[in-house]
């Protein structure tokens, strides 16, 4: 499939500071989610639950955005004895660990805030954390299991109530090496295993009736301690205007037809870590940002540079191109696309300029402006 970047070149501007920085007690680990409410205020949510704090940020756009208030949880995280209101993962395992907010959606009619968050079984379990091998303090080879949860707020993100788990891998969230209290459930056979459905971003398609989760499934070789696959998958839910959120349906074998929890899934793009999407109004194309993985690497599993793809339908994507700045590949671990300085519709850009937010694990988030320019004809 031919992409936009066969005819256009991406120029990367200078980096500049965002509000999502360590000096503000924010340790962003993933891409920052944005959403504009019905009154026109742009909101963002940054941080995670076991380092620093989670903040709600608001403003006219990214240029004047400031922290409005802290996000407080009406439920506990941490130990499997009490976390997430004791609502188990769909596999029947007690939920545990932290939350990483990666998706923000505001109902345009009721002003209810919805947050989709990433969760892992091997971090902040307070004695109950586990990975593919057994109980752990921190997961060996990052081999713990992912789920996506949903919470909501009726006071503009000041307090949050846990709703349910909305996305789970087809394969269960443990291996035959260790059963974390699931009873007569068979774990994955040790070897090449799937770490669940997670490491996602949220996308509100302004041109359709659905919201999307674009997520990863990491596959780990337990013997070698290396990632062998990391592809991009999709699930969607129908938009509603009554203050509730429907269930997600996974894309599988050419259609959205499998349950979000424990359903089968087909990749829409190969070798892409933590994909984030924006729409170009001018060129009528969706643009995906992601990082490739270094399959089999024991030292640097994610390549930490930016790749871009384009699509006309969110499902069929062009081959990736890398972006350069000052003669070198540009990027880092997480690449968050947003409209130019967050102006207008935050997931759409009108002309030739848009903004990318760059970060790594718990680091400051830095913004860069991108400009598309037509290639000279030879």
């Amino acid at each position: 499939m031919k992409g936009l970047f066969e005819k256009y070149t991406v120029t990367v501007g200078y980096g500049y500071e965002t509000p999502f920085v360590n000096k503000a007690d924010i340790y962003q680990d993933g891409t920052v989610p944005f959403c504009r409410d019905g009154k026109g205020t742009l909101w963002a949510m940054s941080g995670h639950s076991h380092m620093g704090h989670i903040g709600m940020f608001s403003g006219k756009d990214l240029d004047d955005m400031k922290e409005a208030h802290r996000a407080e949880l009406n439920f506990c995280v941490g130990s499997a004895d009490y976390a997430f209101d004791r609502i188990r993962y769909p596999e029947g395992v007690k939920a545990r660990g932290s939350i990483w907010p990666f998706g923000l959606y505001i109902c345009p009619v009721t002003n209810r805030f919805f947050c989709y968050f990433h969760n892992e079984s091997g971090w902040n379990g307070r004695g109950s954390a586990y990975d593919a091998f057994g109980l752990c303090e921190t997961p060996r080879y990052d081999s713990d299991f992912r789920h996506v949860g949903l919470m909501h707020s009726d006071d503009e993100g000041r307090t949050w109530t846990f709703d349910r788990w909305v996305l789970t891998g087809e394969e269960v969230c443990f291996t035959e090496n260790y059963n974390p209290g699931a009873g007569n459930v068979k774990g994955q056979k040790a070897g090449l295993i799937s770490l669940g459905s997670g490491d996602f971003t949220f996308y509100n398609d302004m041109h359709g009736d659905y919201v999307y989760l674009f997520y990863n499934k990491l596959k780990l070789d337990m013997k070698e301690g290396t990632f062998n696959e990391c592809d991009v998958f999709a699930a969607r839910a129908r938009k509603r205007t009554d203050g509730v959120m429907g269930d997600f349906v996974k894309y599988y074998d050419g259609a959205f037809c499998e349950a979000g929890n424990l359903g089968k899934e087909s990749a829409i793009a190969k070798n892409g870590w933590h994909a984030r999407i924006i729409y170009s109004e001018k060129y009528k194309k969706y643009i995906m940002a992601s990082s490739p993985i270094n399959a089999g690497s024991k030292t640097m599993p994610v390549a930490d540079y930016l790749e871009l793809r384009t699509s006309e339908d969110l499902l069929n994507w062009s081959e990736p191109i890398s972006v350069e700045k000052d003669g070198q590949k540009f990027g880092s671990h997480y690449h968050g696309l947003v409209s130019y300085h967050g102006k207008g519709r935050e997931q759409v850009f009108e002309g030739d300029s848009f903004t990318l937010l760059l970060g790594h694990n718990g680091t400051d988030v830095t913004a860069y402006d991108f400009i598309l320019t037509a290639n000279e004809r030879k």
Side-chain angles (χ1 to χ4, degrees):
M1 177 182 174
K2 292 184 177 180
L4 178 67
F5 303 114
E6 291 185 350
K7 296 181 180 180
Y8 291 83
T9 298
V10 179
T11 301
V12 183
Y14 295 102
Y16 55 95
E17 188 176 271
T18 72
F20 319 118
V21 291
N22 295 171
K23 67 184 180 183
D25 195 39
I26 296 293
Y27 296 86
Q28 181 64 27
D29 185 11
T31 60
V32 177
F34 292 83
C35 189
R36 198 172 291 278
D37 67 18
K39 297 178 182 179
T41 299
L42 182 66
W43 290 88
M45 194 171 186
S46 187
H48 58 94
S49 64
H50 69 273
M51 189 175 186
H53 73 278
I54 300 171
M56 299 300 303
F57 296 77
S58 65
K60 181 179 58 181
D61 50 43
L62 188 57
D63 292 338
D64 73 343
M65 181 168 277
K66 297 179 181 177
E67 184 168 2
H69 40 259
R70 292 192 174 206
E72 304 292 344
L73 306 180
N74 289 333
F75 58 95
C76 294
V77 296
S79 171
D81 291 337
Y82 50 74
F84 301 102
D85 290 338
R86 296 186 174 87
I87 298 173
R88 296 180 179 230
Y89 298 135
E91 298 95 328
V93 175
K94 290 180 179 180
R96 64 205 73 198
S98 290
I99 69 168
W100 288 260
F102 290 164
L104 181 63
Y105 179 72
I106 303 171
C107 177
V109 176
T110 69
N111 204 46
R112 171 169 280 188
F113 284 38
F114 294 95
C115 171
Y116 298 92
F117 61 84
H118 174 81
N119 166 261
E120 297 186 22
S121 66
W123 293 95
N124 191 35
R126 298 194 177 186
S128 66
Y130 74 92
D131 59 19
F133 302 90
L135 290 170
C136 65
E137 289 296 324
T138 57
R140 284 148 285 195
Y141 317 125
D142 212 15
S143 70
D144 57 341
F145 297 89
R146 282 84 164 148
H147 296 83
V148 178
L150 173 66
M151 59 185 185
H152 75 268
S153 171
D154 286 335
D155 54 10
E156 296 185 326
R158 290 175 175 83
T159 55
W160 292 88
T161 299
F162 178 65
D163 291 321
R164 64 189 189 274
W165 300 104
V166 298
L167 199 66
T168 305
E170 178 190 0
E171 302 86 357
V172 300
C173 61
F174 59 94
T175 72
E176 62 184 0
N177 284 27
Y178 176 72
N179 186 322
N184 293 334
V185 177
K186 187 176 181 180
Q188 296 183 54
K189 185 174 178 59
L192 183 64
I193 61 167
S194 170
L195 300 179
S197 298
D199 301 295
F200 72 97
T201 61
F202 174 87
Y203 183 71
N204 176 15
D205 186 16
M206 300 294 185
H207 299 90
D209 297 325
Y210 297 91
V211 294
Y212 293 81
L213 298 176
F214 292 98
Y215 63 97
N216 287 138
K217 284 183 69 176
L218 284 166
K219 290 194 174 179
L220 177 93
D221 184 322
M222 291 176 63
K223 182 178 179 181
E224 298 296 327
T226 58
F227 293 145
N228 283 30
E229 296 178 28
C230 181
D231 299 329
V232 183
F233 298 80
R236 73 182 188 185
R238 181 171 53 86
K239 296 179 187 178
R240 301 176 63 107
T241 57
D242 55 359
V244 298
M245 183 61 66
D247 287 337
F248 278 81
V249 179
K250 291 177 178 177
Y251 181 77
Y252 173 69
D253 196 22
F256 285 95
C257 60
E258 284 281 326
N261 285 317
L262 300 171
K264 294 183 178 181
E265 46 225 329
S266 296
I268 62 168
K270 305 295 285 186
N271 195 21
W273 161 254
H274 216 283
R276 176 83 166 246
I277 291 171
I278 195 171
Y279 183 75
S280 166
E281 195 69 69
K282 179 177 179 179
Y283 299 105
K284 310 302 179 187
K285 301 276 190 182
Y286 298 95
I287 297 175
M288 175 191 290
S290 63
S291 300
I293 68 161
N294 295 316
S297 173
K298 293 186 177 182
T299 57
M300 192 175 183
V302 179
D304 286 357
Y305 62 81
L306 171 65
E307 289 189 336
L308 296 175
R309 296 172 167 92
T310 59
S311 172
E312 295 179 354
D313 61 4
L314 288 172
L315 297 175
N316 297 285
W317 293 89
S318 65
E319 290 300 311
I321 62 104
S322 59
V323 175
E324 291 191 353
K325 181 176 173 59
D326 301 326
Q328 297 183 339
K329 287 185 177 180
F330 170 82
S332 188
H333 209 59
Y334 299 115
H335 304 101
L337 298 176
V338 69
S339 60
Y340 182 70
H341 289 233
K343 299 180 185 297
R345 294 174 292 176
E346 69 280 358
Q347 294 182 315
V348 176
F349 69 100
E350 304 290 339
D352 291 310
S353 298
F354 57 97
T355 297
L356 181 136
L357 276 64
L358 201 69
H360 211 285
N361 300 123
T363 63
D364 291 352
V365 176
T366 303
Y368 293 83
D369 295 331
F370 282 26
I371 301 175
L372 296 176
T373 55
N375 298 332
E376 294 183 2
R377 294 183 178 179
K378 296 183 179 179

